[in-house]
mmCIF file of all heavy atoms in Angstrom:
data_model
loop_
_atom_site.group_PDB
_atom_site.id
_atom_site.type_symbol
_atom_site.label_atom_id
_atom_site.label_comp_id
_atom_site.label_asym_id
_atom_site.label_seq_id
_atom_site.Cartn_x
_atom_site.Cartn_y
_atom_site.Cartn_z
ATOM 1 N N LEU A 4 10.958 17.781 34.855
ATOM 2 C CA LEU A 4 9.819 17.284 34.035
ATOM 3 C C LEU A 4 9.338 16.006 34.658
ATOM 4 O O LEU A 4 8.219 15.628 34.446
ATOM 5 C CB LEU A 4 10.371 17.140 32.545
ATOM 6 C CG LEU A 4 10.723 18.351 31.848
ATOM 7 C CD1 LEU A 4 11.388 18.024 30.526
ATOM 8 C CD2 LEU A 4 9.472 19.186 31.614
ATOM 9 N N ILE A 16 17.101 14.378 25.172
ATOM 10 C CA ILE A 16 18.040 15.252 25.818
ATOM 11 C C ILE A 16 18.878 14.395 26.817
ATOM 12 O O ILE A 16 18.400 13.490 27.443
ATOM 13 C CB ILE A 16 17.297 16.335 26.620
ATOM 14 C CG1 ILE A 16 16.462 17.116 25.621
ATOM 15 C CG2 ILE A 16 18.236 17.201 27.324
ATOM 16 C CD1 ILE A 16 15.534 18.025 26.241
ATOM 17 N N ASP A 18 21.569 14.020 30.161
ATOM 18 C CA ASP A 18 21.357 14.485 31.578
ATOM 19 C C ASP A 18 22.002 15.895 31.668
ATOM 20 O O ASP A 18 21.483 16.721 32.479
ATOM 21 C CB ASP A 18 22.212 13.576 32.503
ATOM 22 C CG ASP A 18 21.386 12.222 32.713
ATOM 23 O OD1 ASP A 18 20.067 12.264 32.395
ATOM 24 O OD2 ASP A 18 21.988 11.265 33.013
ATOM 25 N N ALA A 43 -3.144 9.541 7.205
ATOM 26 C CA ALA A 43 -3.772 8.473 6.514
ATOM 27 C C ALA A 43 -5.229 8.258 6.931
ATOM 28 O O ALA A 43 -6.097 8.063 6.146
ATOM 29 C CB ALA A 43 -3.023 7.256 6.617
ATOM 30 N N ALA A 54 -16.895 14.813 -2.482
ATOM 31 C CA ALA A 54 -17.857 14.960 -3.599
ATOM 32 C C ALA A 54 -17.437 14.209 -4.866
ATOM 33 O O ALA A 54 -16.259 14.503 -5.158
ATOM 34 C CB ALA A 54 -18.366 16.188 -3.808
ATOM 35 N N PRO A 58 -20.866 9.213 -11.296
ATOM 36 C CA PRO A 58 -20.496 7.875 -10.943
ATOM 37 C C PRO A 58 -19.803 7.076 -12.109
ATOM 38 O O PRO A 58 -20.041 7.448 -13.168
ATOM 39 C CB PRO A 58 -21.973 7.171 -10.624
ATOM 40 C CG PRO A 58 -22.858 8.082 -11.332
ATOM 41 C CD PRO A 58 -22.203 9.478 -11.396
ATOM 42 N N ASP A 62 -19.900 1.700 -10.204
ATOM 43 C CA ASP A 62 -20.402 2.173 -8.997
ATOM 44 C C ASP A 62 -21.879 1.695 -8.738
ATOM 45 O O ASP A 62 -22.629 1.493 -9.714
ATOM 46 C CB ASP A 62 -20.413 3.676 -8.867
ATOM 47 C CG ASP A 62 -18.932 4.276 -8.879
ATOM 48 O OD1 ASP A 62 -18.133 3.490 -8.362
ATOM 49 O OD2 ASP A 62 -18.729 5.298 -9.216
ATOM 50 N N GLY A 66 -30.587 4.439 -4.147
ATOM 51 C CA GLY A 66 -31.822 5.285 -4.575
ATOM 52 C C GLY A 66 -32.872 4.406 -5.131
ATOM 53 O O GLY A 66 -32.773 3.230 -5.180
ATOM 54 N N PHE A 74 -28.731 1.198 -13.754
ATOM 55 C CA PHE A 74 -27.439 1.599 -13.771
ATOM 56 C C PHE A 74 -26.444 0.384 -13.841
ATOM 57 O O PHE A 74 -26.783 -0.664 -13.156
ATOM 58 C CB PHE A 74 -27.083 2.562 -12.658
ATOM 59 C CG PHE A 74 -25.777 3.226 -12.799
ATOM 60 C CD1 PHE A 74 -25.562 4.274 -13.689
ATOM 61 C CD2 PHE A 74 -24.615 2.782 -12.155
ATOM 62 C CE1 PHE A 74 -24.288 4.889 -13.799
ATOM 63 C CE2 PHE A 74 -23.440 3.372 -12.178
ATOM 64 C CZ PHE A 74 -23.225 4.400 -13.085
ATOM 65 N N GLY A 76 -23.657 -0.610 -12.525
ATOM 66 C CA GLY A 76 -23.069 -1.105 -11.124
ATOM 67 C C GLY A 76 -24.138 -1.813 -10.488
ATOM 68 O O GLY A 76 -24.005 -2.773 -9.819
ATOM 69 N N ASP A 85 -28.250 -12.556 -7.209
ATOM 70 C CA ASP A 85 -28.739 -13.824 -7.846
ATOM 71 C C ASP A 85 -27.868 -15.031 -7.598
ATOM 72 O O ASP A 85 -28.274 -16.179 -7.304
ATOM 73 C CB ASP A 85 -29.037 -13.576 -9.265
ATOM 74 C CG ASP A 85 -30.318 -12.748 -9.532
ATOM 75 O OD1 ASP A 85 -31.093 -12.513 -8.769
ATOM 76 O OD2 ASP A 85 -30.354 -12.110 -10.721
ATOM 77 N N THR A 108 -17.157 -6.201 0.396
ATOM 78 C CA THR A 108 -15.631 -6.208 0.230
ATOM 79 C C THR A 108 -15.294 -6.771 -1.122
ATOM 80 O O THR A 108 -14.469 -6.205 -1.754
ATOM 81 C CB THR A 108 -15.002 -7.055 1.463
ATOM 82 O OG1 THR A 108 -15.449 -6.516 2.630
ATOM 83 C CG2 THR A 108 -13.556 -7.072 1.228
ATOM 84 N N LEU A 110 -17.094 -6.811 -3.969
ATOM 85 C CA LEU A 110 -17.441 -5.827 -5.051
ATOM 86 C C LEU A 110 -16.446 -4.641 -5.040
ATOM 87 O O LEU A 110 -15.976 -4.282 -6.139
ATOM 88 C CB LEU A 110 -18.839 -5.261 -4.814
ATOM 89 C CG LEU A 110 -20.077 -6.269 -5.066
ATOM 90 C CD1 LEU A 110 -21.292 -5.735 -4.533
ATOM 91 C CD2 LEU A 110 -20.081 -6.471 -6.507
ATOM 92 N N LYS A 111 -16.005 -4.212 -3.984
ATOM 93 C CA LYS A 111 -15.074 -3.116 -3.766
ATOM 94 C C LYS A 111 -13.616 -3.557 -4.294
ATOM 95 O O LYS A 111 -13.018 -2.856 -5.164
ATOM 96 C CB LYS A 111 -14.851 -2.661 -2.415
ATOM 97 C CG LYS A 111 -16.101 -1.719 -2.074
ATOM 98 C CD LYS A 111 -15.742 -1.104 -0.673
ATOM 99 C CE LYS A 111 -16.849 0.000 -0.436
ATOM 100 N NZ LYS A 111 -16.533 0.716 0.729
ATOM 101 N N ASN A 112 -13.286 -4.773 -3.922
ATOM 102 C CA ASN A 112 -11.883 -5.187 -4.280
ATOM 103 C C ASN A 112 -11.828 -5.773 -5.743
ATOM 104 O O ASN A 112 -10.948 -5.345 -6.481
ATOM 105 C CB ASN A 112 -11.397 -6.230 -3.376
ATOM 106 C CG ASN A 112 -11.211 -5.715 -1.937
ATOM 107 O OD1 ASN A 112 -10.997 -4.447 -1.743
ATOM 108 N ND2 ASN A 112 -11.160 -6.501 -0.914
ATOM 109 N N ALA A 116 -15.837 -1.305 -7.177
ATOM 110 C CA ALA A 116 -17.120 -0.639 -7.003
ATOM 111 C C ALA A 116 -17.068 0.272 -5.880
ATOM 112 O O ALA A 116 -16.403 0.007 -4.914
ATOM 113 C CB ALA A 116 -18.212 -1.681 -6.910
ATOM 114 N N LEU A 119 -22.630 4.707 -3.820
ATOM 115 C CA LEU A 119 -22.720 6.068 -3.810
ATOM 116 C C LEU A 119 -24.095 6.575 -3.522
ATOM 117 O O LEU A 119 -25.052 5.749 -3.874
ATOM 118 C CB LEU A 119 -22.359 6.756 -5.119
ATOM 119 C CG LEU A 119 -20.875 6.332 -5.668
ATOM 120 C CD1 LEU A 119 -20.738 7.053 -7.106
ATOM 121 C CD2 LEU A 119 -19.834 6.812 -4.740
ATOM 122 N N ARG A 121 -26.566 10.405 -3.440
ATOM 123 C CA ARG A 121 -26.558 11.821 -3.730
ATOM 124 C C ARG A 121 -26.583 12.564 -2.450
ATOM 125 O O ARG A 121 -27.246 12.328 -1.398
ATOM 126 C CB ARG A 121 -27.820 12.270 -4.548
ATOM 127 C CG ARG A 121 -27.700 11.900 -6.022
ATOM 128 C CD ARG A 121 -28.343 12.923 -6.811
ATOM 129 N NE ARG A 121 -28.393 12.498 -8.216
ATOM 130 C CZ ARG A 121 -27.593 12.894 -9.147
ATOM 131 N NH1 ARG A 121 -26.591 13.751 -8.854
ATOM 132 N NH2 ARG A 121 -27.668 12.406 -10.354
ATOM 133 N N ALA A 123 -26.819 16.706 -0.521
ATOM 134 C CA ALA A 123 -27.771 17.786 -0.619
ATOM 135 C C ALA A 123 -27.469 18.676 -1.830
ATOM 136 O O ALA A 123 -28.429 19.258 -2.364
ATOM 137 C CB ALA A 123 -27.781 18.606 0.704
ATOM 138 N N ILE A 134 -23.461 1.154 5.674
ATOM 139 C CA ILE A 134 -24.626 1.543 4.858
ATOM 140 C C ILE A 134 -24.568 0.703 3.566
ATOM 141 O O ILE A 134 -25.656 0.128 3.221
ATOM 142 C CB ILE A 134 -24.661 2.940 4.449
ATOM 143 C CG1 ILE A 134 -24.744 3.869 5.749
ATOM 144 C CG2 ILE A 134 -25.669 3.341 3.452
ATOM 145 C CD1 ILE A 134 -24.509 5.359 5.673
ATOM 146 N N SER A 145 -35.288 -7.954 -0.730
ATOM 147 C CA SER A 145 -36.197 -7.462 -1.808
ATOM 148 C C SER A 145 -36.401 -8.574 -2.902
ATOM 149 O O SER A 145 -37.489 -8.723 -3.392
ATOM 150 C CB SER A 145 -35.602 -6.227 -2.447
ATOM 151 O OG SER A 145 -36.404 -5.741 -3.486
ATOM 152 N N GLN A 150 -39.888 -12.650 -5.367
ATOM 153 C CA GLN A 150 -40.117 -14.039 -5.600
ATOM 154 C C GLN A 150 -41.460 -14.595 -5.001
ATOM 155 O O GLN A 150 -42.193 -15.212 -5.671
ATOM 156 C CB GLN A 150 -38.979 -14.901 -5.161
ATOM 157 C CG GLN A 150 -37.767 -14.854 -6.190
ATOM 158 C CD GLN A 150 -36.603 -15.736 -5.594
ATOM 159 O OE1 GLN A 150 -36.536 -16.068 -4.333
ATOM 160 N NE2 GLN A 150 -35.600 -15.961 -6.390
ATOM 161 N N LYS A 151 -41.569 -14.273 -3.813
ATOM 162 C CA LYS A 151 -42.810 -14.785 -3.098
ATOM 163 C C LYS A 151 -44.053 -14.158 -3.791
ATOM 164 O O LYS A 151 -45.211 -14.865 -3.870
ATOM 165 C CB LYS A 151 -42.783 -14.322 -1.614
ATOM 166 C CG LYS A 151 -41.912 -15.171 -0.789
ATOM 167 C CD LYS A 151 -41.959 -14.770 0.702
ATOM 168 C CE LYS A 151 -41.089 -15.474 1.597
ATOM 169 N NZ LYS A 151 -40.970 -15.136 2.888
ATOM 170 N N ALA A 157 -48.835 -16.705 -9.387
ATOM 171 C CA ALA A 157 -48.938 -17.918 -10.142
ATOM 172 C C ALA A 157 -49.956 -18.885 -9.598
ATOM 173 O O ALA A 157 -50.431 -19.649 -10.580
ATOM 174 C CB ALA A 157 -47.554 -18.510 -10.277
#
Side-chain angles (χ1 to χ4, degrees):
L4 292 175
I16 300 173
D18 290 335
D62 291 336
F74 192 76
D85 287 341
T108 302
L110 286 166
K111 285 184 167 192
N112 293 339
L119 306 178
R121 286 217 185 256
I134 295 170
S145 179
Q150 280 179 342
K151 283 182 185 178

